[in-house]
Amino acid sequence: MANQFVSQIADIETDFPQWYTDVVVKTKLVDYGPVKGTMVIRPYGYAIWENIQRELDSRFKQAGVENAYFPLLIPMSFMTKEAEHVEGFAPEVAVVTHAGGAKLEEPLVVRPTSETIIGHMMGKWVESWRDLPLRMNQWCNVMRWEKTTRPFLRTSEFLWQEGHSVYATEEEAEQETLNMLHLYEEFAKTVLCMPVLTGRKTEKEKFAGAVATYGMEAMMHDGKSLQSGTTHYMGQNFAKAFGVQFTGKDGVLQHGYTMSYGVSTRLIGALIMTHGDQRGLILPPPVAPVQVVIVPIAAKKEGVLDACHALRERLQKAGLRVKLDDSENSPGWKFNEWEMKGVPVRVELGPRDIENGKMTVFRRDTCEKSELELASAGEELCALLGEISENLYQKAKKRMHERIVNAETLDELLKGVDGGNFVRAGWCGCRECEDRVKEFAQATARVMDGENTAAKCVACGKPSVHTVFFARAY
Ligand code: ZN
């Protein structure tokens, strides 16, 4: 039987961009907002975000970070206090000039990020070494005016979390920058089932105003990279701009050291493009809004719906997110629908299954069917979801490692990225060579490897100072 849904989704191998658009729209994750470049996150997409939020929020709290909320509007004068910061964000800020029917005395920026306003408040709140460290996070929306946009990947407004901390010493602030990078990496692995490369960004790619930026990069189905999270060590740049000063144990007044970190709704785009296949979404069990869908077979036969309802209740009690699809659609229609929507496990329950005390189980990651015992459904399905998570992670990890190649020349680098790979290559550290790579291969430095193992710079042939992962990126 021809699959009516598959025919609606563009070919994943030959037209990945269209596949992505088809999948996010047809599975009702997202729709386009009336203002160009904005997106509406629909309930199915928002439920994924809520699961991401819950998992990350508990990790932040365990690490000792507290949530707070800062205003959306930032005085324009704040933006100009840190020179690099204003230069980096100026092209993409939206500015409010009128309100209440009158022109404002000072224009207000719609936050593109909150370093400035949080720096201002830290300046008020921090007085003594006893006030440190101060570690806060906020869940909010930000706005960065973009010319070309794609749902979840790049939109003018998006949702994120931004953590901001101030410490008494350089060492502590630097350590926290690395700690948060590792927290993100662990989260990507266990919750999104997504392997990432982590490392320091080059000067060209770092956050505007930071001393050092670290990133995690994930490989998408087409071999391109998606920056999935960043942490920034600011040194005293923002502390000096906003007067974040404290009296130390020695009685001396000094500036604090700040850092920040963030991930956004981009992560939803990342997991779609990491795990999806020709049938549509494959959602990792930890974030899937529906982990198990129950489809009744011969639903009108006596006892079938009752058995389905009873099973749903038992699975919910076992802590699973379960949907019973008792709509009027045919089982075949339901199979296609929930496969496209990426539900990790489907349970088919019909008169014969019930009679035998069995259930037919379909797993979305491998598209394999098996029979499991109804009596131990809760434990069996919990175990299966764990197995699916592990399989998704291992599969993605294997693909990423198979597609990391080394290059010693620009031609090799170009061949590598053309083939959908991440390319490891030496770099002398100079901006001209980084620009040369971009121009020659349309690839950018994603992150630097922890150690320099290459002999020569891929662009100029001088001794290598850093080994860099280059890739084309979203
Ligand atoms: Zn060079």
Side-chain angles (χ1 to χ4, degrees), residues 50 65 78 153 157 183 191 223-224 227 232 288 334 360 373 375 382 394 403 413 474:
E50 286 179 312
V65 177
F78 281 25
L153 304 179
E157 182 189 358
L183 185 151
V191 177
K224 280 164 87 171
Q227 179 174 296
H232 315 289
K334 293 175 187 175
T360 304
E373 296 291 329
C382 283
Q394 292 301 341
R403 288 162 72 170
L413 192 153
Y474 281 94

Side-chain angles (χ1 to χ4, degrees), residues 431-466:
R431 175 67 180 262
E432 288 71 33
C433 287
E434 197 178 349
D435 290 341
R436 180 96 185 88
V437 170
K438 174 86 194 275
E439 191 189 315
F440 191 84
Q442 299 80 54
T444 48
R446 302 318 306 162
V447 289
M448 295 190 270
D449 205 346
E451 51 181 335
N452 176 34
T453 49
K456 287 189 219 160
C457 173
V458 71
C460 70
K462 285 182 191 156
S464 170
V465 176
H466 299 287

Side-chain angles (χ1 to χ4, degrees), residues 16 193-197 216-228 269-276 392 395-405 416-417 419-424 446 469-474:
F16 190 60
C193 308
M194 189 173 82
V196 291
L197 290 177
M216 67 171 180
E217 300 281 326
M219 182 184 276
M220 303 295 100
H221 183 88
D222 59 354
K224 280 164 87 171
S225 188
L226 186 79
Q227 179 174 296
S228 307
L271 64 91
I272 295 167
M273 295 198 296
T274 298
H275 301 302
L392 286 177
K395 211 169 132 185
K397 189 175 159 193
K398 182 165 174 277
R399 191 188 64 211
M400 183 172 84
H401 286 290
E402 280 170 0
R403 288 162 72 170
I404 295 175
V405 300
V417 292
N421 300 291
F422 284 3
V423 179
R424 259 174 107 258
R446 302 318 306 162
F469 292 98
F470 289 98
R472 293 193 180 133
Y474 281 94

Side-chain angles (χ1 to χ4, degrees), residues 35-47:
V35 174
K36 191 172 177 289
T38 61
M39 67 172 164
V40 177
I41 305 175
R42 301 182 70 173
Y44 196 55
Y46 199 78

